Amino acid sequence: MVTFAVLCLLACVLSVKSDGPHLVPNFRPPSVPLVVVNPYLSIWSDADHLYDDFPKHWSGPIICLSGMISIDGKVYRFMAKDTDLAPDVMTQVNLTVYPTQTVYVFQESGIQLTLTFSTPAFAATDKIPTLPVTFLTYTVEAIDGVSNHTVKIYYDNTAEGVVSDTKQMVTWDYASLMPGQVAMKIGTTDQDYLGQGSDRINWGYWYVSTILDRGMIATMAPAVDTRTAFMKGKVLPSEDKNKPRACEDNWPVLAIAWDFGTITPGQPSQRWLQISYDQVYSMKYFGTAMEPLWKHNYENFTGLIRNSEYETLKKACDDKDAEITEALYNAGGQNYATISSLAWRQAVGGTIAVWNNVTNEPWVFLKEISSDGDVSTVDVMFPASPLFIWHLPETLQLMLLPLLNYANNDTKEYGLDVPYNLQWAPHHLGHWPVCDLEPNRQEQMPVEESGNMLLMIAGVVLQTKNLTFLDPYWPLLTIWADFVVASLPDPGNQLCTDDFEGPSPHNMNLAAKGMVALGAYSQLLRMKGDTASAEKYETANTQFIQYWTTNGLDGDHYKRQYNLPGSWSLKYNLLFQKILKLNLFPQSVFDQELKYYMSKMNTYGIPMDDRHLYTKTDWLMWTAAMASDDQFNSITSAVYKFANETPDRSPFTDWYAVDTAHRQGFTARPVIGGLYARLLTAMKN
Ligand SMILES: *[C@@H]1O[C@H](CO)[C@@H](O)[C@H](O)[C@H]1NC(C)=O
Ligand SMILES: *[C@@H]1O[C@H](CO)[C@@H](O)[C@H](O)[C@H]1NC(C)=O
Ligand SMILES: *[C@@H]1O[C@H](CO)[C@@H](O)[C@H](O)[C@H]1NC(C)=O
Ligand SMILES: *[C@@H]1O[C@H](CO)[C@@H](O)[C@H](O)[C@H]1NC(C)=O
Ligand SMILES: *[C@@H]1O[C@H](CO)[C@@H](O)[C@H](O)[C@H]1NC(C)=O
Ligand SMILES: *[C@@H]1O[C@H](CO)[C@@H](O)[C@H](O)[C@H]1NC(C)=O
């Protein structure tokens, strides 16, 4: 029975490997997603080899996960950089990043170890990423074909994942609920829920769980003691009862050691563990604390600890990876599939799904991540939206609801009445994890955010064909559409999303956004059956587009500002015309612009405009999504080259220099979901 299960699991692993040709072999990601589930549970390896460095939170500090293997009594390290304790490494020979899984392969002394990180966040519903869970699977094979080897494997993690400062006090315990299972839990003693001021969580509980197994030990003790015991071939120490104590005080770890026994050629063996995080509360929305969505669906952490479902969830990841990589490959080839696979967990892992107990429905929030801790920034959600529109439109709809609710004066239902008195859409909701922002304290981007909201709504409806969620909001959308009309054809001097570039008055790309957004709103009105209103906006828009094409032309391209001859910029805001199949700007505008951009191609891509030699990864890939196949391939291979070669090691940046490949700023932001734009323009419906 056991052998059969192991063989079956291997077959599943092999079926993932057969997708290899969809991805470029030997791609070197700037950073590798390990446990990337939400803005707090987000652990990466910024190194070429998993043993070259410690795993880190996206914001930089170490969250130590470590791994060692004993082969015929000699110990090698394969994860984390504890060089004093375990100087020898098991050579990393392969690394592949799939959308939901990361696969490392190591070899040493006739043994091959495949370590897979699988994040089945989506598996509970397939519509909303919900499960705060990552599995680590260890598959051991004898590869020298002749000899038998004895193998043991060691895992531990410190408490760094549950603190925002390693001086904080933590406590731990066993937490098994079901027979045959072992679970350990660790968390702070303070449990100061929903505190602000850090990108790190210091409340809730981190669990490590697995199936009981002969010769296996799971314990909680100082790192130096458990690691030393494993190094010396000794039994791990029993639970350290000196608790609570500081995370950094003799570093308590949750540790597991498995005895794989004798590995004979042709008979691989496998063990796994589950890391899960119970946030208890994830978000405070104008006075109301909201539980993570999984918690609403299950009474207690038996719903979180899915040990009995390991095989189902692992297969769900394999299937999801095969589905997504195939779609990416078909839409854009190997380079495209490779960088977009890397983007998946970064984009989805920038969100959290919660239960709204006031309206009794799920909601989703998105964090701006490294640019600041803003919650649900509209112009960060917008660049990310292609991934969600393509594969998770219901999730995007649930991301829009907290913003619509806020702008519609509904916050009083939640305890904190914050009237929204602006004629345009909000910029964000608050500072993670607390939404409480007064409208006049926003960073105001009037046309930007109003256009973004209308466009994202139309993108959701394109996929769901369902307008019902808009029932309470039509008057609000009309206010925004009318504001956009009043601001066109020239939006004057206002901020757009690219505020780091400084002011950009008479911004033609921003104007284009307003025009495409009016097209989107007209499309929604027509679907609703309000043809008269749709025509009103369409008539106004025809004039605006006429003005844009006439006054914006500068010889062989369109200007960055209406009033600046010689300027140019990527008009990435035209993308939604293609996605929504709107008939607004003539195709010649796209052709002419793309041809001009290609003349500005540098080593690692095309700059955003004439002012700087840097670009935005998301906007550049939006631009590529509107291009011919040749232009698309040329842009995509430049972005691939950047990701593969940048010397700045951190989660996929969206802002870099096109001549040097240096990161300009920003890391790990969910905007990288913008890479999925080509899938939308390639879509048939
Ligand atoms: C390395 O990964 C690629 C997928 O990128 C796969 O095709 C290949 O078989 C792997 N090689 C080994 C030795 O696991
Ligand atoms: C390997 O182990 C198997 C099963 O334990 C045993 O039958 C076989 O003789 C061993 N082979 C060698 C080369 O030691
Ligand atoms: C956890 O919830 C399940 C149902 O979801 C219930 O059967 C079980 O008794 C609960 N366990 C505890 C410890 O509350
Ligand atoms: C929603 O949940 C919060 C946090 O548990 C609680 O304080 C509040 O009373 C609940 N509200 C409703 C309407 O159930
Ligand atoms: C919300 O309330 C403010 C202040 O009372 C008001 O100015 C605004 O028009 C209201 N918005 C909507 C959509 O009703
Ligand atoms: C349309 O959306 C509403 C609310 O979002 C939902 O209740 C309804 O079931 C959906 N209708 C269809 C046909 O899916």
PDB file of all heavy atoms in Angstrom, residues 5-19 101 311 314-315 318-319:
ATOM      1  N   ALA A   5       1.391   4.025  -2.982  1.00  0.00           N
ATOM      2  CA  ALA A   5       1.140   5.477  -2.828  1.00  0.00           C
ATOM      3  C   ALA A   5       2.369   6.267  -3.251  1.00  0.00           C
ATOM      4  O   ALA A   5       2.271   7.265  -3.947  1.00  0.00           O
ATOM      5  CB  ALA A   5       0.766   5.773  -1.374  1.00  0.00           C
ATOM      6  N   VAL A   6       3.539   5.781  -2.861  1.00  0.00           N
ATOM      7  CA  VAL A   6       4.778   6.497  -3.194  1.00  0.00           C
ATOM      8  C   VAL A   6       4.964   6.526  -4.715  1.00  0.00           C
ATOM      9  O   VAL A   6       5.275   7.560  -5.298  1.00  0.00           O
ATOM     10  CB  VAL A   6       5.982   5.840  -2.493  1.00  0.00           C
ATOM     11  CG1 VAL A   6       7.291   6.381  -3.056  1.00  0.00           C
ATOM     12  CG2 VAL A   6       5.910   6.103  -0.997  1.00  0.00           C
ATOM     13  N   LEU A   7       4.719   5.398  -5.342  1.00  0.00           N
ATOM     14  CA  LEU A   7       4.877   5.347  -6.799  1.00  0.00           C
ATOM     15  C   LEU A   7       3.925   6.300  -7.495  1.00  0.00           C
ATOM     16  O   LEU A   7       4.276   7.011  -8.423  1.00  0.00           O
ATOM     17  CB  LEU A   7       4.664   3.918  -7.304  1.00  0.00           C
ATOM     18  CG  LEU A   7       5.823   2.950  -6.995  1.00  0.00           C
ATOM     19  CD1 LEU A   7       5.480   1.553  -7.470  1.00  0.00           C
ATOM     20  CD2 LEU A   7       7.110   3.443  -7.632  1.00  0.00           C
ATOM     21  N   CYS A   8       2.695   6.308  -6.979  1.00  0.00           N
ATOM     22  CA  CYS A   8       1.685   7.188  -7.568  1.00  0.00           C
ATOM     23  C   CYS A   8       2.111   8.646  -7.443  1.00  0.00           C
ATOM     24  O   CYS A   8       2.006   9.423  -8.365  1.00  0.00           O
ATOM     25  CB  CYS A   8       0.347   6.959  -6.884  1.00  0.00           C
ATOM     26  SG  CYS A   8      -0.792   8.315  -7.090  1.00  0.00           S
ATOM     27  N   LEU A   9       2.653   8.981  -6.256  1.00  0.00           N
ATOM     28  CA  LEU A   9       3.084  10.365  -6.045  1.00  0.00           C
ATOM     29  C   LEU A   9       4.224  10.715  -6.979  1.00  0.00           C
ATOM     30  O   LEU A   9       4.291  11.808  -7.516  1.00  0.00           O
ATOM     31  CB  LEU A   9       3.525  10.553  -4.599  1.00  0.00           C
ATOM     32  CG  LEU A   9       2.357  10.559  -3.615  1.00  0.00           C
ATOM     33  CD1 LEU A   9       2.865  10.522  -2.193  1.00  0.00           C
ATOM     34  CD2 LEU A   9       1.502  11.794  -3.852  1.00  0.00           C
ATOM     35  N   LEU A  10       5.120   9.760  -7.173  1.00  0.00           N
ATOM     36  CA  LEU A  10       6.237  10.035  -8.070  1.00  0.00           C
ATOM     37  C   LEU A  10       5.750  10.282  -9.490  1.00  0.00           C
ATOM     38  O   LEU A  10       6.244  11.148 -10.192  1.00  0.00           O
ATOM     39  CB  LEU A  10       7.213   8.861  -8.059  1.00  0.00           C
ATOM     40  CG  LEU A  10       8.163   8.905  -6.882  1.00  0.00           C
ATOM     41  CD1 LEU A  10       9.025   7.671  -6.864  1.00  0.00           C
ATOM     42  CD2 LEU A  10       9.032  10.157  -6.971  1.00  0.00           C
ATOM     43  N   ALA A  11       4.749   9.506  -9.877  1.00  0.00           N
ATOM     44  CA  ALA A  11       4.194   9.685 -11.212  1.00  0.00           C
ATOM     45  C   ALA A  11       3.666  11.112 -11.350  1.00  0.00           C
ATOM     46  O   ALA A  11       3.830  11.750 -12.387  1.00  0.00           O
ATOM     47  CB  ALA A  11       3.086   8.669 -11.454  1.00  0.00           C
ATOM     48  N   CYS A  12       3.058  11.622 -10.278  1.00  0.00           N
ATOM     49  CA  CYS A  12       2.525  12.987 -10.329  1.00  0.00           C
ATOM     50  C   CYS A  12       3.677  13.990 -10.487  1.00  0.00           C
ATOM     51  O   CYS A  12       3.600  14.920 -11.266  1.00  0.00           O
ATOM     52  CB  CYS A  12       1.742  13.317  -9.059  1.00  0.00           C
ATOM     53  SG  CYS A  12       0.337  12.220  -8.832  1.00  0.00           S
ATOM     54  N   VAL A  13       4.744  13.761  -9.715  1.00  0.00           N
ATOM     55  CA  VAL A  13       5.914  14.644  -9.823  1.00  0.00           C
ATOM     56  C   VAL A  13       6.453  14.590 -11.256  1.00  0.00           C
ATOM     57  O   VAL A  13       6.738  15.602 -11.867  1.00  0.00           O
ATOM     58  CB  VAL A  13       7.008  14.220  -8.816  1.00  0.00           C
ATOM     59  CG1 VAL A  13       8.291  15.000  -9.081  1.00  0.00           C
ATOM     60  CG2 VAL A  13       6.531  14.466  -7.398  1.00  0.00           C
ATOM     61  N   LEU A  14       6.533  13.368 -11.790  1.00  0.00           N
ATOM     62  CA  LEU A  14       7.059  13.224 -13.144  1.00  0.00           C
ATOM     63  C   LEU A  14       6.177  13.940 -14.162  1.00  0.00           C
ATOM     64  O   LEU A  14       6.662  14.523 -15.113  1.00  0.00           O
ATOM     65  CB  LEU A  14       7.187  11.740 -13.510  1.00  0.00           C
ATOM     66  CG  LEU A  14       8.320  11.022 -12.758  1.00  0.00           C
ATOM     67  CD1 LEU A  14       8.339   9.545 -13.085  1.00  0.00           C
ATOM     68  CD2 LEU A  14       9.668  11.656 -13.080  1.00  0.00           C
ATOM     69  N   SER A  15       4.862  13.922 -13.913  1.00  0.00           N
ATOM     70  CA  SER A  15       3.984  14.566 -14.886  1.00  0.00           C
ATOM     71  C   SER A  15       4.211  16.078 -14.904  1.00  0.00           C
ATOM     72  O   SER A  15       4.051  16.716 -15.921  1.00  0.00           O
ATOM     73  CB  SER A  15       2.514  14.225 -14.607  1.00  0.00           C
ATOM     74  OG  SER A  15       2.009  15.033 -13.577  1.00  0.00           O
ATOM     75  N   VAL A  16       4.627  16.638 -13.759  1.00  0.00           N
ATOM     76  CA  VAL A  16       4.980  18.060 -13.761  1.00  0.00           C
ATOM     77  C   VAL A  16       6.247  18.274 -14.574  1.00  0.00           C
ATOM     78  O   VAL A  16       6.341  19.163 -15.387  1.00  0.00           O
ATOM     79  CB  VAL A  16       5.187  18.582 -12.320  1.00  0.00           C
ATOM     80  CG1 VAL A  16       5.816  19.963 -12.354  1.00  0.00           C
ATOM     81  CG2 VAL A  16       3.861  18.647 -11.599  1.00  0.00           C
ATOM     82  N   LYS A  17       7.221  17.365 -14.361  1.00  0.00           N
ATOM     83  CA  LYS A  17       8.498  17.531 -15.059  1.00  0.00           C
ATOM     84  C   LYS A  17       8.316  17.487 -16.578  1.00  0.00           C
ATOM     85  O   LYS A  17       9.060  18.115 -17.288  1.00  0.00           O
ATOM     86  CB  LYS A  17       9.471  16.446 -14.621  1.00  0.00           C
ATOM     87  CG  LYS A  17      10.122  16.771 -13.291  1.00  0.00           C
ATOM     88  CD  LYS A  17      11.249  15.814 -12.999  1.00  0.00           C
ATOM     89  CE  LYS A  17      11.853  16.087 -11.637  1.00  0.00           C
ATOM     90  NZ  LYS A  17      12.566  14.890 -11.174  1.00  0.00           N
ATOM     91  N   SER A  18       7.322  16.743 -17.033  1.00  0.00           N
ATOM     92  CA  SER A  18       7.151  16.647 -18.477  1.00  0.00           C
ATOM     93  C   SER A  18       6.680  17.978 -19.080  1.00  0.00           C
ATOM     94  O   SER A  18       6.684  18.163 -20.271  1.00  0.00           O
ATOM     95  CB  SER A  18       6.173  15.522 -18.832  1.00  0.00           C
ATOM     96  OG  SER A  18       4.866  15.938 -18.550  1.00  0.00           O
ATOM     97  N   ASP A  19       6.287  18.928 -18.187  1.00  0.00           N
ATOM     98  CA  ASP A  19       5.975  20.260 -18.689  1.00  0.00           C
ATOM     99  C   ASP A  19       7.249  21.089 -18.840  1.00  0.00           C
ATOM    100  O   ASP A  19       7.178  22.249 -19.241  1.00  0.00           O
ATOM    101  CB  ASP A  19       5.055  21.004 -17.723  1.00  0.00           C
ATOM    102  CG  ASP A  19       3.716  20.324 -17.616  1.00  0.00           C
ATOM    103  OD1 ASP A  19       3.221  19.832 -18.637  1.00  0.00           O
ATOM    104  OD2 ASP A  19       3.184  20.277 -16.503  1.00  0.00           O
ATOM    105  N   GLN A 101       4.294  26.013  -7.508  1.00  0.00           N
ATOM    106  CA  GLN A 101       5.301  25.157  -6.863  1.00  0.00           C
ATOM    107  C   GLN A 101       6.719  25.538  -7.281  1.00  0.00           C
ATOM    108  O   GLN A 101       6.949  25.998  -8.399  1.00  0.00           O
ATOM    109  CB  GLN A 101       5.082  23.689  -7.261  1.00  0.00           C
ATOM    110  CG  GLN A 101       3.688  23.180  -6.968  1.00  0.00           C
ATOM    111  CD  GLN A 101       3.564  21.683  -7.219  1.00  0.00           C
ATOM    112  OE1 GLN A 101       3.870  20.874  -6.350  1.00  0.00           O
ATOM    113  NE2 GLN A 101       3.119  21.317  -8.401  1.00  0.00           N
ATOM    114  N   GLU A 311      -2.390  14.367  -0.653  1.00  0.00           N
ATOM    115  CA  GLU A 311      -2.284  13.887  -2.034  1.00  0.00           C
ATOM    116  C   GLU A 311      -3.202  14.662  -2.979  1.00  0.00           C
ATOM    117  O   GLU A 311      -2.818  14.998  -4.095  1.00  0.00           O
ATOM    118  CB  GLU A 311      -2.563  12.387  -2.100  1.00  0.00           C
ATOM    119  CG  GLU A 311      -1.473  11.630  -1.378  1.00  0.00           C
ATOM    120  CD  GLU A 311      -1.609  10.121  -1.460  1.00  0.00           C
ATOM    121  OE1 GLU A 311      -2.226   9.634  -2.419  1.00  0.00           O
ATOM    122  OE2 GLU A 311      -1.084   9.453  -0.556  1.00  0.00           O
ATOM    123  N   LYS A 314      -1.652  18.227  -3.403  1.00  0.00           N
ATOM    124  CA  LYS A 314      -0.427  18.195  -4.221  1.00  0.00           C
ATOM    125  C   LYS A 314      -0.802  18.006  -5.693  1.00  0.00           C
ATOM    126  O   LYS A 314      -0.264  18.679  -6.580  1.00  0.00           O
ATOM    127  CB  LYS A 314       0.471  17.049  -3.730  1.00  0.00           C
ATOM    128  CG  LYS A 314       1.746  16.837  -4.543  1.00  0.00           C
ATOM    129  CD  LYS A 314       2.754  17.954  -4.321  1.00  0.00           C
ATOM    130  CE  LYS A 314       4.075  17.708  -5.016  1.00  0.00           C
ATOM    131  NZ  LYS A 314       3.983  17.796  -6.477  1.00  0.00           N
ATOM    132  N   LYS A 315      -1.754  17.135  -5.934  1.00  0.00           N
ATOM    133  CA  LYS A 315      -2.176  16.909  -7.315  1.00  0.00           C
ATOM    134  C   LYS A 315      -2.859  18.165  -7.874  1.00  0.00           C
ATOM    135  O   LYS A 315      -2.680  18.511  -9.047  1.00  0.00           O
ATOM    136  CB  LYS A 315      -3.120  15.710  -7.400  1.00  0.00           C
ATOM    137  CG  LYS A 315      -3.534  15.421  -8.836  1.00  0.00           C
ATOM    138  CD  LYS A 315      -4.267  14.109  -8.990  1.00  0.00           C
ATOM    139  CE  LYS A 315      -4.552  13.799 -10.464  1.00  0.00           C
ATOM    140  NZ  LYS A 315      -5.126  14.940 -11.225  1.00  0.00           N
ATOM    141  N   ASP A 318      -0.118  20.305  -9.059  1.00  0.00           N
ATOM    142  CA  ASP A 318       0.457  19.783 -10.308  1.00  0.00           C
ATOM    143  C   ASP A 318      -0.457  20.123 -11.492  1.00  0.00           C
ATOM    144  O   ASP A 318       0.006  20.569 -12.549  1.00  0.00           O
ATOM    145  CB  ASP A 318       0.628  18.255 -10.230  1.00  0.00           C
ATOM    146  CG  ASP A 318       1.694  17.841  -9.224  1.00  0.00           C
ATOM    147  OD1 ASP A 318       2.477  18.711  -8.801  1.00  0.00           O
ATOM    148  OD2 ASP A 318       1.728  16.655  -8.857  1.00  0.00           O
ATOM    149  N   ASP A 319      -1.755  19.910 -11.298  1.00  0.00           N
ATOM    150  CA  ASP A 319      -2.712  20.181 -12.388  1.00  0.00           C
ATOM    151  C   ASP A 319      -2.760  21.672 -12.716  1.00  0.00           C
ATOM    152  O   ASP A 319      -2.802  22.072 -13.873  1.00  0.00           O
ATOM    153  CB  ASP A 319      -4.119  19.697 -11.998  1.00  0.00           C
ATOM    154  CG  ASP A 319      -4.193  18.176 -11.910  1.00  0.00           C
ATOM    155  OD1 ASP A 319      -3.233  17.510 -12.365  1.00  0.00           O
ATOM    156  OD2 ASP A 319      -5.192  17.664 -11.379  1.00  0.00           O
TER     157      ASP A 319
END
